[in-house]
Amino acid sequence: MSLPPLYDTFLIREPLRDDPFAVTHNPSDIPTLIEVYSKSISHFTERNRERAVERLQYELALLYIREQKWNKALRFLLAVYEGSSWRREGWWNLLGLLREQVRDGARACGDAEVVLRAEWEGLCD
């Protein structure tokens, strides 16, 4: 006889709620999230927490992409893409995904120079 799986949410939060990035957000939540991410970026920048800043900039860019605000998204994507620890530490799989998003954002914004740079780097991989 097997027991049904139980998860005690009294002491431990549900797994889905442990990672706020894994939760899908309502469109009405996005302005609040943008404000929280922006304040968090400032907070972690003051404390020289480079990886936390990069993660938040990337998440903020993804929110702007969902909102189809490509200029703002591209600004944050480029900040992560050009000077990130991902490049220095050789996280090539992440950079490949990021490069594609930069290229798509640059196309949406009509920035031919950034499209060319992203395509060129992709050819050199």
Side-chain angles (χ1 to χ4, degrees):
M1 178 171 153
S2 69
L3 296 173
L6 296 175
Y7 196 82
D8 185 4
T9 58
F10 177 73
L11 297 175
I12 301 173
R13 293 172 27 170
E14 297 175 34
L16 181 63
R17 303 290 180 212
D18 282 344
D19 184 6
F21 298 112
V23 178
T24 57
H25 302 287
N26 294 331
S28 62
D29 295 340
I30 291 180
T32 304
L33 288 171
I34 289 171
E35 180 183 350
V36 169
Y37 285 162
S38 298
K39 287 179 181 179
S40 298
I41 288 169
S42 299
H43 173 81
F44 286 115
T45 300
E46 290 173 5
R47 284 153 184 75
N48 297 319
R49 301 297 305 261
E50 183 180 12
R51 287 187 183 157
V53 171
E54 290 170 357
R55 167 80 186 259
L56 290 166
Q57 286 176 330
Y58 183 68
E59 293 294 332
L60 189 54
L62 294 179
L63 285 175
Y64 282 127
I65 288 171
R66 276 189 233 154
E67 290 286 299
Q68 300 294 310
K69 295 180 181 177
W70 289 102
N71 287 326
K72 291 180 180 182
L74 185 61
R75 187 178 83 217
F76 287 103
L77 287 172
L78 284 174
V80 176
Y81 183 66
E82 292 176 343
S84 73
S85 64
W86 300 3
R87 185 177 302 279
R88 287 190 308 273
E89 295 172 8
W91 296 358
W92 307 122
N93 291 339
L94 289 175
L95 280 173
L97 174 64
L98 183 59
R99 182 182 62 243
E100 291 174 9
Q101 291 169 331
V102 166
R103 184 192 61 220
D104 294 343
R107 281 186 182 151
C109 292
D111 191 338
E113 179 185 344
V114 174
V115 171
L116 181 63
R117 284 189 348 224
E119 289 288 349
W120 183 260
E121 185 171 346
L123 291 173
C124 295
D125 279 348

